[in-house]
């Protein structure tokens, strides 16, 4: 909800009707590029976050199973109460994963992941939710559950994965 308040403050204080962020409130206030790029990124970060997990030990380049990194995908990490229902399509997470997600009553309903490359991912469900299942087509995928409720799974390039939430 604090993120949402910041979004509203940005829109009220320094955004013109054409959605350009400006420095100041005068008619000829200069265009502010960091606000114009940063604000949409902030909106996206409320819905989807991703980063590379830091391995405890560097990967062994001689091992064929050694991954350079694991990618973490956090779904709806900062969804404000003011957005009780919605969806997004085509947001990109690290590890070249395209993500679609739908939510209702402040809870994730379903997600679709489409990786372009094969990588190991940690997928963190929205706060106070669990990932009930993950399927590649009709086939359920076995995952490794982490203590924090996230799952560790290898996503294969070219496949489509559907997640359901509890």
């Amino acid at each position: 909800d604090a993120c949402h308040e910041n979004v509203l403050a940005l829109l009220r204080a320094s955004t013109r009707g054409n959605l350009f962020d400006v420095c100041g409130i005068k008619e000829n206030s200069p265009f502010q590029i960091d606000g114009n790029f940063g604000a949409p990124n902030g909106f996206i970060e409320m819905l989807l976050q991703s980063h590379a997990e830091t391995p405890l030990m560097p990967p062994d380049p001689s091992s064929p199973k050694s991954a350079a990194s694991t990618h973490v995908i956090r779904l709806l990490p900062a969804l404000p109460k003011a957005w009780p229902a919605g969806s997004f399509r085509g947001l990109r997470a690290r590890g070249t994963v395209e993500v679609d997600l739908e939510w209702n009553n402040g809870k994730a309903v379903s997600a679709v992941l489409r990786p372009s490359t094969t990588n190991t991912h940690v997928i963190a469900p929205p706060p106070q939710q669990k990932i009930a299942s993950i399927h590649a087509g009709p086939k359920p995928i076995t995952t490794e559950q982490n203590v924090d409720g996230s799952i560790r799974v290898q996503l294969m390039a070219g496949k489509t994965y559907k997640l359901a939430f509890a």
Side-chain angles (χ1 to χ4, degrees):
D1 290 328
C3 293
H4 184 254
E5 288 302 317
N6 285 323
V7 166
L8 292 178
L10 175 72
L11 292 173
R12 289 178 184 142
S14 67
T15 304
R16 294 227 173 107
N18 62 4
L19 295 181
F20 280 171
D21 185 53
V22 293
C23 182
I25 56 172
K26 295 180 181 176
E27 182 64 31
N28 61 350
S29 295
F31 176 82
Q32 187 166 293
I33 196 71
D34 56 339
N36 286 282
F37 289 152
N41 192 43
F43 302 154
I44 292 168
E45 289 279 332
M46 293 166 68
L47 304 173
L48 176 73
Q49 294 176 2
S50 69
H51 57 88
E53 184 180 65
T54 305
L56 295 176
M57 295 174 52
D60 178 1
S62 66
S63 171
K65 291 187 176 185
S66 178
S69 66
T70 297
H71 303 283
V72 178
I73 300 172
R74 297 188 188 287
L75 304 170
L76 301 181
L79 183 68
K81 289 181 182 134
W83 301 350
S87 65
F88 61 79
R89 305 274 180 263
L91 292 183
R92 299 284 282 195
R94 281 183 174 65
T96 66
V97 179
E98 187 175 324
V99 181
D100 301 342
L101 191 135
E102 181 179 344
W103 69 92
N104 198 10
N105 295 322
K107 302 278 185 191
V109 175
S110 63
V112 175
L113 307 177
R114 289 180 298 278
S116 297
T117 58
T118 299
N119 284 300
T120 300
H121 296 270
V122 171
I123 303 170
Q128 287 80 49
Q129 283 195 268
K130 293 184 179 182
I131 297 172
S133 64
I134 181 168
H135 286 77
K139 181 182 172 191
I141 302 299
T142 304
T143 62
E144 185 182 314
Q145 184 94 24
N146 296 320
V147 176
D148 65 358
S150 65
I151 61 170
R152 182 177 296 272
V153 61
Q154 185 170 30
L155 301 180
M156 305 298 285
K159 290 194 176 196
T160 298
Y161 297 86
K162 294 184 180 184
L163 284 71
F165 300 90

